[in-house]
Amino acid sequence: MAILEAEHICKSFSRTEALKDISFSLEKGQALSIIGSSGSGKTTLLRCLNFLETPDKGVIRVNNEVLFDAEDPSTRQESAIRKKRLHFGLVFQSFNLFPQYTALKNVMLARELLASEQADYKARKKEIQEEIRAEAESLLMKMGLSNRKDNYPHQLSGGQCQRVAIARALALKPDILCFDEPTSALDPELTGEVLKVIRELADDNTTMVIVTHEMAFARDVADHVIFMDDGSIVEQGDPIQVFEHPAEERTRQFLSKVTI
Amino acid sequence: MGQIMEQMPIVVDALNVGFLQTLKLFFVTLIGAFPLGLVIAFGSMSRFRPLSYLSKFVVWIIRGTPLMIQLLIIYYFPGLVLHNPIWGGGEAGRFLAASVSFILNYACYFSEIYRGGIQGVPVGQEEAGLVLGMTRSQIFFKITLLQMIKRIVPPMSNEIITLVKDTSLARIIALQEIIWAGQAFMKGSHGISGAIWPLFFTAVYYLIFNGILTMLLGRLERKLDYFR
């Protein structure tokens, strides 16, 4: 059964149609790569999934629950959206770590704020905080950053920052983890450490949507690939089909221009 | 010179009293203008048009006219034109009117500094907070606020130091701050008259107090240096 279903998503910005009738679905435990040239709508699609943009048309379902329906205004309320966002995690191209907090605190902050809204928070404060801290530390360990947990973002390399950002997103245990060109802001020699971490997540069957320009990575890691051009899905399928035997001329043109 | 040394204790006593009033006006203005400035800043950034136009209009009026005129209008207008002297008489009434004028005036300048500070925080910070399920107020208090404070400390320091000196404008409505106290020795006060040096001497008070402020604000700036 599909964990994520997006149907007929359309989104326009004043003059440009960024997304034209996008439909796709994703199975639990699978990794989806979205490839395509800059401006093809990949990032806008991710931002729609995370409610940073509101689609003009379409439906988004997670676990069969309708999170967004452009026809149904009740799904657009700010208070409702906040909880729905938690189905998704988003790792940004430019990390967007909180500069005033240490790596560890970056990972813990959102969990702490959510926990403080629990009914039993006051009574179990110490216990809950210990639990959040332990989980955050183990996430950073998984990212290979145990010795960096007390560093501030400006003391970390780009690759380390991005791994903290991945841990921060994982801390909320999202159903679907989204990556928006996670290595595009990194020096070439730092992309490897971030891709390695994402690869490990894929091996652990984390459900992921990955927008990327790293074609070899997309081919190796993804269970499913979507090629987008000019706001539409041109072609989708398993990686071998899309990369080795593209059916569409536009896909062939794109792949011939990018080096794998 | 000998005469000045003789007059010194009397003058210093009087100037101390005046400077206390200066300090009172300074701190009351800060306490009022810090939060009011934030309210005006949010007003001018509001997506609700009438509110943002109103805030910008108020800021335009206040920044576009001299503080001295604002002091005169706020102090005299209710009594002389509306025949409703809301401020009450005496030094307390003058202090109240001066406080209102200064708070309003400085809140408008602060609001623009706040606005710059808030808008200077990258939009990605807010988006990161949103996708992590934070509310708008959590994002403001836990993420934006400190980054904004870090950005606004240098321009705020400028305004705060200017405020110390601007309090002397309250002399125009006869508030008995340090300039008033110094000037009194020209006409005659505490048995001394025709002395202009006490007025000049008030500069020392401003200079020392601003020196202390500069040091404290510099310390705050360094304290926030732990992140970028």
Side-chain angles (χ1 to χ4, degrees):
Chain A
M1 194 196 73
I3 189 168
L4 168 65
E5 292 163 288
E7 286 168 11
H8 308 296
I9 303 288
C10 297
K11 175 73 188 173
S12 297
F13 297 105
S14 54
R15 287 260 171 90
T16 49
E17 270 185 276
L19 298 176
K20 303 169 189 165
D21 196 26
I22 300 287
S23 299
F24 69 93
S25 66
L26 178 62
E27 301 291 319
K28 189 169 164 56
Q30 297 218 311
L32 166 69
S33 277
I34 305 177
I35 58 170
S37 47
S38 300
S40 59
K42 311 181 299 288
T43 294
T44 306
L45 180 58
L46 270 197
R47 290 173 63 83
C48 284
L49 291 179
N50 284 278
F51 297 92
L52 291 176
E53 305 287 353
T54 311
D56 302 324
K57 283 184 204 150
V59 178
I60 297 170
R61 272 192 296 270
V62 171
N63 287 326
N64 265 335
E65 179 197 349
V66 176
L67 295 194
F68 176 84
D69 183 348
E71 307 277 295
D72 180 359
S74 71
T75 63
R76 312 175 82 149
Q77 280 167 1
E78 173 88 22
S79 55
I81 286 174
R82 193 186 149 215
K83 285 275 178 284
K84 291 172 189 171
R85 279 201 175 101
L86 295 174
H87 288 288
F88 296 90
L90 177 60
V91 175
F92 297 87
Q93 181 178 346
S94 49
F95 330 136
N96 295 343
L97 290 180
F98 307 130
Q100 71 264 47
Y101 295 122
T102 62
L104 184 66
K105 183 76 181 173
N106 262 277
V107 179
M108 291 167 61
L109 182 66
R111 275 286 303 279
E112 286 179 332
L113 292 174
L114 280 173
S116 67
E117 291 166 23
Q118 275 170 228
D120 61 347
Y121 179 71
K122 279 224 168 97
R124 297 180 48 225
K125 192 172 172 181
K126 260 236 161 90
E127 198 183 326
I128 292 173
Q129 279 185 332
E130 267 317 303
E131 196 183 304
I132 292 171
R133 188 185 186 86
E135 276 180 39
E137 280 178 348
S138 93
L139 277 170
L140 284 176
M141 192 165 79
K142 210 168 140 190
M143 297 293 137
L145 291 169
S146 286
N147 56 341
R148 291 300 203 166
K149 67 177 162 42
D150 296 321
N151 285 121
Y152 290 91
H154 77 269
Q155 298 166 322
L156 301 174
S157 72
Q160 289 168 336
C161 281
Q162 193 60 300
R163 284 183 283 152
V164 174
I166 294 170
R168 181 176 70 172
L170 285 171
L172 294 176
K173 305 187 179 76
D175 295 321
I176 300 146
L177 186 55
C178 302
F179 292 88
D180 184 13
E181 301 186 19
T183 58
S184 294
L186 298 177
D187 293 337
E189 72 266 27
L190 299 176
T191 58
E193 59 188 74
V194 172
L195 296 181
K196 179 171 161 275
V197 162
I198 301 174
R199 211 178 289 255
E200 285 165 7
L201 291 174
D203 291 342
D204 293 345
N205 292 324
T206 313
T207 313
M208 294 188 285
V209 179
I210 308 164
V211 167
T212 184
H213 288 300
E214 300 279 337
M215 292 304 145
F217 173 73
R219 189 179 57 185
D220 294 351
V221 163
D223 301 291
H224 196 77
V225 175
I226 286 177
F227 169 62
M228 283 181 71
D229 189 36
D230 195 26
S232 305
I233 294 180
V234 175
E235 184 163 356
Q236 57 178 313
D238 69 69
I240 296 179
Q241 183 205 321
V242 175
F243 282 102
E244 312 293 340
H245 313 288
E248 297 291 327
E249 180 56 31
R250 268 193 287 174
T251 317
R252 269 194 288 268
Q253 278 175 4
F254 174 74
L255 289 173
S256 70
K257 275 185 237 154
V258 295
T259 49
I260 294 188
Chain B
M1 198 66 197
Q3 196 193 4
I4 289 179
M5 292 320 287
E6 232 169 74
Q7 293 169 342
M8 186 64 102
I10 302 164
V11 168
V12 166
D13 275 351
L15 291 187
N16 283 347
V17 173
F19 195 58
L20 202 66
Q21 193 73 321
T22 295
L23 288 180
K24 246 172 79 188
L25 182 57
F26 170 77
F27 284 112
V28 165
T29 302
L30 285 189
I31 290 165
F34 278 146
L36 183 62
L38 201 56
V39 171
I40 297 172
F42 280 124
S44 67
M45 288 189 291
S46 168
R47 263 172 272 173
F48 181 58
R49 288 285 171 79
L51 184 61
S52 87
Y53 286 144
L54 178 72
S55 306
K56 284 176 183 162
F57 181 74
V58 170
V59 171
W60 172 62
I61 295 287
I62 296 292
R63 293 203 309 173
T65 57
L67 174 54
M68 189 186 276
I69 293 181
Q70 293 162 20
L71 270 163
L72 290 170
I73 291 176
I74 286 174
Y75 183 55
Y76 289 114
F77 193 80
L80 293 182
V81 181
L82 304 177
H83 306 293
N84 179 17
I86 53 172
W87 304 117
E91 183 69 359
R94 289 191 290 269
F95 184 77
L96 196 59
S99 299
V100 169
S101 313
F102 271 83
I103 288 172
L104 191 59
N105 184 280
Y106 269 81
C108 286
Y109 282 97
F110 287 175
S111 80
E112 288 297 288
I113 294 176
Y114 286 140
R115 197 165 64 89
I118 293 170
Q119 289 174 344
V121 176
V123 66
Q125 291 290 307
E126 187 189 345
E127 291 183 347
L130 286 174
V131 297
L132 290 166
M134 297 183 197
T135 62
R136 302 249 170 213
S137 79
Q138 285 172 339
I139 292 170
F140 179 75
F141 286 108
K142 295 287 178 180
I143 299 170
T144 313
L145 185 62
L146 193 63
Q147 295 183 46
M148 174 193 101
I149 290 172
K150 184 182 167 73
R151 268 159 224 270
I152 66 174
V153 169
M156 269 299 190
S157 303
N158 245 334
E159 287 298 321
I160 289 168
I161 284 166
T162 303
L163 171 62
V164 176
K165 295 166 290 173
D166 270 3
T167 53
S168 61
L169 287 170
R171 164 74 191 84
I172 200 73
I173 58 169
L175 185 81
Q176 297 171 14
E177 44 69 70
I178 190 169
I179 297 283
W180 181 92
Q183 214 176 6
F185 289 103
M186 291 170 74
K187 284 188 231 152
S189 166
H190 300 77
I192 299 168
S193 65
I196 196 165
W197 74 266
L199 188 54
F200 297 164
F201 190 70
T202 60
V204 175
Y205 283 77
Y206 290 107
L207 203 55
I208 290 173
F209 186 59
N210 270 333
I212 295 168
L213 277 182
T214 305
M215 202 185 68
L216 291 175
L217 290 164
R219 195 174 287 182
L220 176 63
E221 207 175 318
R222 277 192 303 279
K223 212 164 183 176
L224 290 170
D225 252 358
Y226 78 91
F227 72 89
R228 262 172 233 157

